[in-house]
């Protein structure tokens, strides 16, 4: 059912609908999760309780590790929404260049921008989110195993270090090889240390 134009108020017919760039949506989510991450880090920093030096003996002993866990999840969503924002920004840029230069042939495709290999900025954002997701599960498992069998304090320190090393992965990815190792190798070491020392502790 459609409303006849004659029944619509003349003023409504002259309204210009304001359009908002689509990348603002994932970008706003990126900054929202980033703000949440900053808040959790601040809460952990100002928490007067010190992590126990040995294995966790109660649920409350895991509180410092919970701060790390929540931060790791928030950072994951920062990377995911930044990935989406980057795709939309690069897609808009490609369409603008295609229009301004009056290029012939097929117009830019959102799918090709997102899943193709032609845009290095998008590739960096994709790998930043992808690699982080791949390493998040081993990290969380090693974090809690170390807290449970070895030391909450050491697990917490390794956890914060891991987050720092992962935070600049996108920047390291854009560096000439082997610049990426500045992010990945220290982060891998944090996981290996927690897992290795846990195995040593339980094997005694």
């Amino acid at each position: 059912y459609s409303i006849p134009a004659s029944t619509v108020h003349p003023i409504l017919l002259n309204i210009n609908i304001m359009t908002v760039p689509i990348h603002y949506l994932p970008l706003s989510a990126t900054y929202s999760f980033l703000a949440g991450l900053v808040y959790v880090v601040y809460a952990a920093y100002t928490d007067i309780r010190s992590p126990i030096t040995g294995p966790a003996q109660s649920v409350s002993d895991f509180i410092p590790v919970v701060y790390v866990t929540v931060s790791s999840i928030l950072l994951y969503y920062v990377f995911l929404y930044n990935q989406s924002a980057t795709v939309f920004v690069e897609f808009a840029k490609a369409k603008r260049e295609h229009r301004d230069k009056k290029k012939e042939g097929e117009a830019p495709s959102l799918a090709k921008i997102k899943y193709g290999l032609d845009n290095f900025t998008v590739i960096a954002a994709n790998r930043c989110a992808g690699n982080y997701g791949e390493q998040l599960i081993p990290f969380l498992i090693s974090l809690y195993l170390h807290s449970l069998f070895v030391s909450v304090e050491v697990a917490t320190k390794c956890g914060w270090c891991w987050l720092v090393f992962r935070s600049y992965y996108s920047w390291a990815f854009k560096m000439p090889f082997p610049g990426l190792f500045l992010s990945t190798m220290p982060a891998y070491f944090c996981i290996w240390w927690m897992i290795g020392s846990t195995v040593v502790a339980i094997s005694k």
Side-chain angles (χ1 to χ4, degrees), residues 55 138-152 154-155 158 190-204:
F139 166 69
L140 292 176
I141 292 175
S142 63
L143 181 72
Y144 279 89
L145 286 178
H146 194 91
S147 301
L148 187 60
F149 293 103
V150 185
S151 170
V152 174
V154 174
C158 286
C190 290
I191 296 177
W192 297 338
W193 177 264
M194 288 188 290
I195 286 291
S197 55
T198 299
V199 172
V200 170
I202 64 177
S203 62
K204 291 181 179 179

Side-chain angles (χ1 to χ4, degrees), residues 19 26 38 41 57 98 113 118:
T19 58
V38 171
V41 172
Q57 303 296 323
H98 184 272
I113 294 291
D118 297 331

Side-chain angles (χ1 to χ4, degrees), residues 1 11 19 21 62 64 68 94 108 132 135 142 151 165 175 196 198 204:
Y1 177 76
I11 295 179
T19 58
F62 285 100
V68 177
Y132 187 90
Q135 296 298 316
S142 63
S151 170
F165 296 138
M175 295 178 62
T198 299
K204 291 181 179 179

Side-chain angles (χ1 to χ4, degrees), residues 117-166:
L117 300 176
D118 297 331
N119 192 305
F120 187 71
T121 302
V122 172
I123 293 174
N126 289 342
R127 287 311 305 147
C128 183
N131 190 267
Y132 187 90
E134 294 163 4
Q135 296 298 316
L136 185 58
I137 294 177
F139 166 69
L140 292 176
I141 292 175
S142 63
L143 181 72
Y144 279 89
L145 286 178
H146 194 91
S147 301
L148 187 60
F149 293 103
V150 185
S151 170
V152 174
E153 181 181 26
V154 174
T156 302
K157 291 179 179 179
C158 286
W160 287 120
C161 288
W162 186 85
L163 286 172
V164 171
F165 296 138
R166 298 299 318 190

Side-chain angles (χ1 to χ4, degrees), residues 6-83:
S6 59
T7 65
V8 180
H9 195 283
I11 295 179
L12 297 179
L13 296 176
N14 295 323
I15 293 179
N16 292 321
I17 300 176
M18 182 180 66
T19 58
V20 177
I22 188 63
H23 72 273
Y24 281 12
L25 182 60
L27 193 62
S28 63
T30 300
Y31 286 120
S32 296
F33 281 105
L34 185 59
L37 175 60
V38 171
Y39 174 80
V40 174
V41 172
Y42 175 77
Y45 179 76
T46 56
D47 195 324
I48 60 174
R49 291 167 294 195
S50 300
I52 64 173
T53 57
Q57 303 296 323
S58 65
V59 174
S60 61
D61 291 339
F62 285 100
I63 290 178
V65 179
V66 172
Y67 283 129
V68 177
T69 303
V70 174
S71 297
S72 67
I73 295 173
L74 289 172
L75 184 59
Y76 182 49
Y77 281 101
V78 168
F79 289 154
L80 284 179
Y81 281 105
N82 178 69
Q83 179 186 25

